[in-house]
Amino acid sequence: LDTGRTTGQDHLDQAMVAAAAKKFGRVRIHLAQAVKLEPTSPVAWWRLGRLEAQEKHWPGAAAALRKSLSLAPDSLSTMTDLGHTYLMLDKADEAIRLFKTVSDREETAVALLNLAKAYGKAGQMEKASETIEFAREKDPELLKALQARMKTQAQEMQNGNQKGALQPSPQAPWPSKLQPQTP
């Protein structure tokens, strides 16, 4: 039954349309409305966390991703995204905990490389090296592809090309009582 009211799902859908049109300020507005209308939607919180991370608003990303993970505690993709966010916030031990959980549940080369990165950031170079070796054994071609991609990205950065990078959107207010914590 259609009540004529805009739902949280409607805002999630509108956020996707706005993202496709590269209207990132509108994406933020729709995601803020989605979590306001559907505060128990892990997808809405995850998408808000991803937007915050893409815009390099790390405390906001961590807050939204933690909320998403609290609502869907078995989500490996949310654990991975939160782990990367923790690395950006220099919280390597928390990232290790999350990446370890992910790699224990699905021992893929990508999961192992994420764990190795966290070990490296924490200064645990021997563990990082061992974990990279495990990842190489899982998928030798993955490391070659990553090296090629890193070279391409380095060249693009030297040329000043940041193709595909999101531009920060104007900050819309967070839903009440859900302000991100600073690191």
Side-chain angles (χ1 to χ4, degrees):
L1 184 65
D2 186 3
T3 63
R5 292 185 179 155
T6 306
T7 67
Q9 184 60 52
D10 292 334
H11 281 289
L12 284 175
D13 294 343
Q14 291 171 4
M16 289 179 64
V17 170
K22 299 185 190 266
K23 295 181 179 179
F24 300 112
R26 300 291 309 159
V27 172
R28 177 174 295 286
I29 290 167
H30 286 299
L31 290 178
Q33 284 299 309
V35 297
K36 180 180 177 185
L37 293 171
E38 302 283 341
T40 60
S41 169
V43 172
W45 286 106
W46 176 75
R47 287 186 184 168
L48 182 59
R50 293 285 304 233
L51 176 66
E52 293 284 346
Q54 288 173 329
E55 293 183 347
K56 297 180 179 14
H57 300 139
W58 304 116
L65 292 168
R66 278 193 303 268
K67 179 67 175 180
S68 178
L69 193 57
S70 75
L71 296 167
D74 292 327
S75 172
L76 299 181
S77 62
T78 303
M79 286 181 209
T80 299
D81 291 339
L82 184 54
H84 287 296
T85 300
Y86 281 151
L87 288 178
M88 298 308 295
L89 290 168
D90 292 324
K91 295 181 176 187
D93 291 337
E94 292 176 45
I96 289 170
R97 179 183 54 79
L98 289 167
F99 290 143
K100 183 93 175 89
T101 300
V102 172
S103 67
D104 286 348
R105 291 189 188 166
E106 64 174 32
E107 194 174 272
T108 64
V110 172
L112 290 167
L113 286 174
N114 287 333
L115 180 57
K117 184 177 180 180
Y119 280 140
K121 184 110 178 186
Q124 299 178 33
M125 302 316 270
E126 191 170 315
K127 281 186 175 181
S129 179
E130 290 171 4
T131 307
I132 288 172
E133 186 58 32
F134 290 139
R136 191 182 64 74
E137 289 171 8
K138 286 278 181 197
D139 188 353
E141 295 302 313
L142 176 67
L143 291 179
K144 290 178 188 174
L146 287 174
Q147 287 175 324
R149 190 170 85 196
M150 288 171 63
K151 278 185 180 180
T152 301
Q153 287 175 341
Q155 289 171 343
E156 286 178 357
M157 288 178 71
Q158 285 178 343
N159 296 335
N161 181 9
Q162 299 211 359
K163 191 173 169 180
L166 286 178
Q167 299 302 314
S169 62
Q171 287 288 338
W174 271 69
S176 63
K177 300 181 185 175
L178 295 173
Q179 293 295 321
Q181 299 171 350
T182 55

